[in-house]
C-alpha cells in the first residue's frame, strides 16, 4: 500500500519547530496522539498553535491519519520535540544520547479509542513509513522505539505498551520488509520495558548495558552521589546482578501512635503511580490502573497526570475502594433490528461512536474484529465517504464506519 504524503511544515518557532539540525538519526520513535478519532490535520495544527508559547513544547516529524494518509510537519533533518524528559531509560542513554530529541525521528499515530487501537490503514502506513526511514538512514528493526522505551515512564504508544506482543510483531514485520527476515535484538524491547527503580532499601540490580551515568539520568540522582554510596564498586567494570546503592534510605523511626496506612506498603516517596504499583507488586499497565481507578471512585480514567496523582494518594492513604452498585435489569430498547454486520477491515477492533461523524464523535466502546453486531439501518453522516452503520449497542443507537462492517 502506497500512502499519500502531504508536506505541511510547521512555522519556524521556539516551541515546536526550532530549526535545529539533528546530529544524526539513530532511531525512529512511534507515538500515539492521545486523542481518539482525531485527525492528522488537527494534531498538526495543535503543534502549529504551540508557537504562541502558551501550551509548552512539542512536535513530531510525521502524523499518520485514520485513513492511512500522512502529514509531514518537520523535515527529517530537523529536531522535533517528541521525546523530551527529565529522565531516560538506560537503553536510550546508551544507544541514543543524553538528549534523544537530537538523534531521532518521531511518528505520531492517530487511533480509535483510549486503549490506543489503530485502524488497519494507520498501522500499515506507519509500518511502510517507518521502514522507508530505516532504509534511508541505514537502520534496522532494532532501531524502532516507542516513546515509552525511550523515557521509561510514559505509556506511549499505549496499545503497543500494553500489548507488547503486538509491538514485537510490528518490529518483526519491519525486519521482514527490510531484508526478508527479522533479527530482533534479544536484549532490548523483547518484553515490556521495566521501569528503572530502586528497591525499598535504595538498591538497584545491575542489568546488561547499565552505567552510573545512565542510572543517574533514569533515577534523577547525581553520579557523584551514586559513587559516594558505592566506594568499593568500579564504575567501569559493573557486572550483571551486582547490587548498587542509588538512594540513601535510612530506617524509619517507629511512630508514637499508629496511623492509617495502605494495605500494602510500597515506595512512599515516588510521585509516579507506575513506580508505586510496581513497588507493591501490582501490574502497572493502563488496563489495571483503569480498573483500580474505577474501584477508588475515579470516573472516566484516561491516565492523565491529575488522575494518576489522585489514584496514588488514595492508595497510599489506604482509602477503601468504592463499592460497586448492583446493575439494574436491562430494559428493552424497542429499536428494531434489520440484520447484523461482521466487523472487518480493522487491526483489532472497530470503534463504536455516539454520532455518525468520525471527527466529532465520542467513543462509546469497541467491538472486536470478526464479531457481529445488530444494525437498525445506515446513514450518510459526516467525514466518511462510505457512511455509517447504525448499530444497536447496549440497547441504544450508535454508529460504526461502514467500511468496518460487512452485512451478513
Amino acid at each position: 500500500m502506497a500512502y499519500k504524503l502531504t508536506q505541511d511544515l510547521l512555522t519556524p518557532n521556539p516551541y515546536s519547530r526550532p530549526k535545529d539540525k539533528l546530529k544524526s538519526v539513530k532511531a525512529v520513535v512511534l507515538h500515539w496522539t492521545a486523542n481518539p478519532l482525531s485527525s492528522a490535520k488537527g494534531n498538526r495544527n495543535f503543534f502549529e498553535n504551540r508557537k504562541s508559547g502558551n501550551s509548552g513544547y512539542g512536535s513530531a516529524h510525521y502524523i499518520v491519519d485514520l485513513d492511512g494518509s500522512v502529514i509531514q510537519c518537520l523535515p527529517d533533518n530537523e529536531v522535533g520535540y517528541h521525546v523530551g524528559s527529565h529522565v531516560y531509560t538506560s537503553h536510550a542513554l546508551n544507544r541514543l544520547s543524553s538528549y534523544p530529541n537530537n538523534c531521532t525521528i518521531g511518528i505520531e499515530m492517530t487511533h480509535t479509542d483510549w486503549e490506543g487501537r489503530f485502524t488497519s490503514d494507520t498501522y500499515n502506513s506507519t509500518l511502510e513509513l517507518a521502514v522507508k526511514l530505516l532504509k534511508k538512514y541505514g537502520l534496522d528493526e532494532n532501531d524502532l522505539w516507542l516513546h515509552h522505551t525511550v523515557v521509561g515512564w510514559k505509556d506511549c504508544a499505549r496499545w503497543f505498551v500494553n500489548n507488547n506482543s503486538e509491538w514485537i510483531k510490528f518490529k518483526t514485520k519491519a525486519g521482514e520488509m527490510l531484508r526478508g527476515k527479522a533479527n530482533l535484538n534479544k536484549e532490548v524491547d523483547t518484553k515490556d520495558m521495566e521501569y528503572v527503580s530502586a528497591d525499598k532499601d535504595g538498591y538497584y540490580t545491575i542489568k546488561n548495558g547499565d552505567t552510573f551515568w545512565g542510572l543517574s539520568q533514569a533515577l534523577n540522582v547525581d553520579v557523584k552521589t551514586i559513587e559516594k554510596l558505592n566506594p568499593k564498586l568500579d564504575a567501569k567494570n559493573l557486572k550483571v546482578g551486582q547490587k548498587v546503592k542509588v538512594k540513601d534510605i535510612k530506617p524509619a523511626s517507629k511512630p508514637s501512635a499508629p496511623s492509617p496506612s495502605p494495605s500494602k506498603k510500597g515506595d512512599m516517596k515516588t510521585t509516579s503511580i507506575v513506580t508505586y504499583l510496581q513497588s507493591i507488586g501490582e501490574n502497572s499497565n493502563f488496563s489495571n490502573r483503569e480498573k483500580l481507578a474505577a474501584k477508588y471512585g475515579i470516573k472516566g480514567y484516561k491516565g492523565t497526570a491529575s488522575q494518576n496523582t489522585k489514584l496514588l494518594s488514595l492508595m497510599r492513604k489506604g482509602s477503601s475502594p468504592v463499592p460497586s452498585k448492583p446493575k439494574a435489569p436491562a430494559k428493552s430498547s424497542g429499536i428494531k433490528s434489520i440484520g447484523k454486520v461482521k466487523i472487518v477491515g480493522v487491526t483489532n477492533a472497530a470503534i463504536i461512536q455516539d454520532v455518525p461523524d468520525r471527527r466529532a464523535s465520542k467513543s462509546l466502546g469497541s467491538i472486536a474484529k470478526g464479531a457481529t453486531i445488530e444494525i437498525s439501518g445506515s446513514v450518510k453522516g459526516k467525514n466518511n465517504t462510505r457512511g455509517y452503520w447504525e448499530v444497536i449497542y447496549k440497547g441504544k443507537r450508535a454508529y460504526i464506519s461502514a467500511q468496518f462492517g460487512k452485512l451478513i
Side-chain angles (χ1 to χ4, degrees), residues 12 48 64 81-82 89 102 127 148 152 176 202 204 251 255 281 302 325 329 346 370 401:
E48 175 71 14
V64 185
Y81 291 143
H82 62 108
T89 63
N102 68 17
L127 181 60
H148 172 66
E176 291 170 348
Y204 170 81
K302 295 177 181 178
K325 296 180 180 179
V346 293
S401 296

Side-chain angles (χ1 to χ4, degrees), residues 57-285:
Y57 296 82
S59 56
H61 296 79
Y62 297 92
I63 308 171
V64 185
D65 214 336
L66 296 166
D67 64 2
S69 59
V70 180
I71 292 179
Q72 183 176 11
C73 302
L74 299 170
D76 291 349
N77 65 346
E78 287 187 15
V79 168
Y81 291 143
H82 62 108
V83 285
S85 177
H86 66 287
V87 294
Y88 296 99
T89 63
S90 58
H91 286 307
L93 291 166
N94 292 330
R95 291 180 54 199
L96 303 177
S97 77
S98 59
Y99 181 61
N101 274 332
N102 68 17
C103 61
T104 57
I105 291 176
I107 302 176
E108 291 271 358
M109 302 174 72
T110 56
H111 48 95
T112 60
D113 59 19
W114 281 108
E115 291 294 314
R117 294 180 178 89
F118 316 112
T119 66
S120 56
D121 289 333
T122 301
Y123 184 99
N124 291 331
S125 290
T126 303
L127 181 60
E128 188 177 344
L129 172 60
V131 168
K132 180 181 177 181
L133 291 168
L134 293 175
K135 283 182 179 179
K136 180 178 178 179
Y137 293 100
L139 306 174
D140 65 24
E141 65 273 24
N142 292 302
D143 300 306
L144 282 173
W145 292 66
L146 298 176
H147 189 176
H148 172 66
T149 54
V150 176
V151 302
W153 57 270
K154 196 163 189 176
D155 60 345
C156 173
R158 181 173 286 172
W159 179 254
F160 285 141
V161 172
N162 291 336
N163 298 276
N164 190 64
S165 61
E166 292 296 323
W167 176 230
I168 297 302
K169 188 185 297 183
F170 185 93
K171 293 177 69 177
T172 299
K173 287 182 178 180
E176 291 170 348
M177 289 173 68
L178 282 166
R179 57 181 179 279
K181 183 179 180 181
N183 184 26
L184 294 185
N185 184 339
K186 299 299 181 183
E187 296 177 356
V188 183
D189 301 346
T190 52
K191 62 184 180 67
D192 202 0
M193 282 292 293
E194 293 180 0
Y195 291 85
V196 177
S197 60
D199 64 21
K200 60 183 179 63
D201 297 317
Y203 284 90
Y204 170 81
T205 303
I206 293 294
K207 297 179 177 62
N208 191 44
D210 282 332
T211 63
F212 276 5
W213 164 251
L215 292 177
S216 74
Q217 295 300 297
L219 295 164
N220 200 24
V221 179
D222 189 75
V223 173
K224 291 183 178 179
T225 299
I226 298 177
E227 291 174 342
K228 185 177 179 180
L229 292 171
N230 301 275
K232 295 182 179 180
L233 282 185
D234 181 359
K236 296 181 180 180
N237 190 31
L238 297 177
K239 297 178 181 178
V240 173
Q242 274 184 318
K243 292 280 189 178
V244 176
K245 186 86 169 177
V246 291
K247 291 184 179 179
D248 190 11
I249 298 177
K250 294 180 173 61
S253 58
K254 292 183 179 181
S256 55
S259 58
S261 61
S263 56
K264 293 182 181 179
K265 290 184 178 180
D267 188 335
M268 302 302 284
K269 292 185 178 181
T270 182
T271 58
S272 165
I273 183 63
V274 169
T275 300
Y276 178 74
L277 288 173
Q278 291 178 339
S279 72
I280 63 172
E282 279 272 4
N283 191 326
S284 63
N285 68 22

Side-chain angles (χ1 to χ4, degrees), residues 298-362:
I298 301 174
K299 298 180 180 179
Y301 182 79
K302 295 177 181 178
T304 64
S306 60
Q307 289 174 327
N308 286 335
T309 300
K310 185 175 181 180
L311 179 58
L312 177 62
S313 176
L314 289 171
M315 292 189 71
R316 274 194 177 140
K317 290 177 181 177
S319 302
S320 299
V322 176
S324 57
K325 296 180 180 179
K327 293 183 179 179
K331 296 180 180 179
S332 174
S333 65
I335 303 172
K336 184 178 179 180
S337 170
I338 64 169
K340 291 183 178 182
V341 293
K342 182 179 181 180
I343 302 304
V344 297
V346 293
T347 303
N348 295 289
I351 193 71
I352 298 173
Q353 306 162 201
D354 65 336
V355 294
D357 182 345
R358 71 184 182 93
R359 292 185 180 176
S361 63
K362 294 180 180 178

